[in-house]
Amino acid sequence: LNFKPVITLKNEGITTLSSGNFYMQIDGGTTQIINWGGSLAMQQQVQVTFPLQMVTSGTHTLSVTFANANGQPTDNNITNDNKSISFFAYNGSSAAAIPFTEDFENLFPATNWSVYNPNFDITWVQNTNGGAYGYSYNSASINNLGYTSNPNRKKDALITDVYDLTTVAYPELKFDVAYARYNANRTDSLNVYYSLDCGETWIKLWNQSGNELATAPDTTGTFVPTFAQWKTVSVSLSAIEAKSKVSFKFENVTGWGNMMYLDNVNLHS
């Protein structure tokens, strides 16, 4: 399987960043060195696309370190120079059957699911404070209130496995969500997309934001939903009911609002 890693490089220093080296490993293997040159002012960032990589189907680890900034062998803050993430490579040979339910009670992200976190900061996590309507122990959540400054509409997503919709008539996607705004000026959005090509392209299926999405009153404290502060969303999949390989993406777009919770993602007829 072939892919090109895309890395976000941010200048946390006080001088313009003009050069450096990326050191990349996949699964602890041979270190690849990617030279970088450009012009990044303080707090600016850029996405860097690495050369084409090849992996087998399954779970892998990508590790990246940035060093030799502006030709200097030392760094005043080495704690933000490296990052490792796990990812799942899917070969497209088969798709999971439905009906299917993901309740976030066990492994997170679930088998063959992935978390998209391009800025390597706040993102979707397993939340152990309780599930939808108080019927379970866990859910998925993202803390839009957790940024120390305006995050400027950063996007993070939960991406599902690939599913076969040919086996059922009138397929439907259902999920439970809980959300509260911070105030009318600081609101977040939840977008749901589908893909028919393993994530190469995404088509928006559903969207709500702000007060339309909210299940509870505005709060400037960290929102923790009561049993009654959830709602169930049902989305028809009639436009793609005959498709054999469909994946879904739940995308949070942060407006520096408040906690958002997701539970019981359900595919059924």
Side-chain angles (χ1 to χ4, degrees):
L1 301 175
N2 301 331
F3 77 107
K4 291 183 177 181
V6 179
I7 307 300
T8 300
L9 174 65
K10 184 177 182 181
N11 182 6
E12 295 283 4
I14 60 174
T15 60
T16 298
L17 182 63
S18 59
S19 66
N21 305 112
F22 289 101
Y23 296 84
M24 182 189 72
Q25 287 183 312
I26 296 178
D27 300 331
T30 303
T31 299
Q32 300 181 46
I33 302 176
I34 297 97
N35 299 322
W36 176 85
S39 181
L40 276 184
M42 182 173 62
Q43 295 301 307
Q44 285 189 337
Q45 63 185 38
V46 65
Q47 288 191 327
V48 181
T49 301
F50 284 5
L52 189 70
Q53 307 295 316
M54 295 184 63
V55 295
T56 59
S57 178
T59 301
H60 300 274
T61 300
L62 173 69
S63 300
V64 177
T65 298
F66 187 77
N68 305 321
N70 291 345
Q72 300 299 311
T74 59
D75 189 330
N76 291 332
N77 181 13
I78 63 173
T79 61
N80 61 2
D81 289 345
N82 53 77
K83 187 71 178 182
S84 294
I85 61 168
S86 295
F87 65 95
F88 185 84
Y90 174 69
N91 66 9
S93 61
S94 61
I98 63 171
F100 169 85
T101 298
E102 176 52 52
D103 56 13
F104 306 110
E105 291 299 302
N106 299 301
L107 179 69
F108 188 92
T111 301
N112 298 350
W113 288 44
S114 61
V115 174
Y116 175 72
N117 178 217
N119 301 108
F120 304 116
D121 51 10
I122 293 170
T123 193
W124 289 97
V125 299
Q126 185 181 49
N127 190 297
T128 59
N129 289 328
Y133 305 106
Y135 293 143
S136 60
Y137 293 106
N138 302 330
S139 60
S141 69
I142 185 166
N143 184 12
N144 294 296
L145 188 60
Y147 294 92
T148 57
S149 60
N150 191 336
N152 296 317
R153 314 305 294 177
K154 289 182 178 179
K155 298 178 180 180
D156 290 81
L158 269 176
I159 301 174
T160 74
D161 195 359
V162 180
Y163 299 99
D164 182 0
L165 304 187
T166 63
T167 59
V168 297
Y170 311 111
E172 184 178 48
L173 172 67
K174 293 180 67 174
F175 55 92
D176 299 326
V177 63
Y179 170 69
R181 306 185 308 179
Y182 183 90
N183 59 35
N185 297 316
R186 287 172 54 174
T187 68
D188 313 294
S189 303
L190 180 62
N191 303 319
V192 180
Y193 300 83
Y194 71 84
S195 175
L196 303 178
D197 53 15
C198 295
E200 285 290 325
T201 55
W202 293 99
I203 300 169
K204 186 177 289 186
L205 183 65
W206 179 91
N207 161 264
Q208 284 187 357
S209 61
N211 199 47
E212 181 184 24
L213 178 63
T215 60
D218 296 357
T219 177
T220 56
T222 300
F223 170 57
V224 178
T226 66
F227 294 171
Q229 290 174 328
W230 287 83
K231 67 180 180 182
T232 299
V233 176
S234 299
V235 184
S236 171
L237 302 178
S238 59
I240 52 174
E241 64 178 291
K243 303 301 181 181
S244 60
K245 295 177 181 178
V246 185
S247 53
F248 298 90
K249 177 168 70 172
F250 293 84
E251 179 187 72
N252 175 85
V253 183
T254 180
W256 206 10
N258 214 312
M259 293 285 293
M260 186 184 302
Y261 300 81
L262 177 70
D263 203 3
N264 300 321
V265 176
N266 190 304
L267 283 167
H268 66 105
S269 59

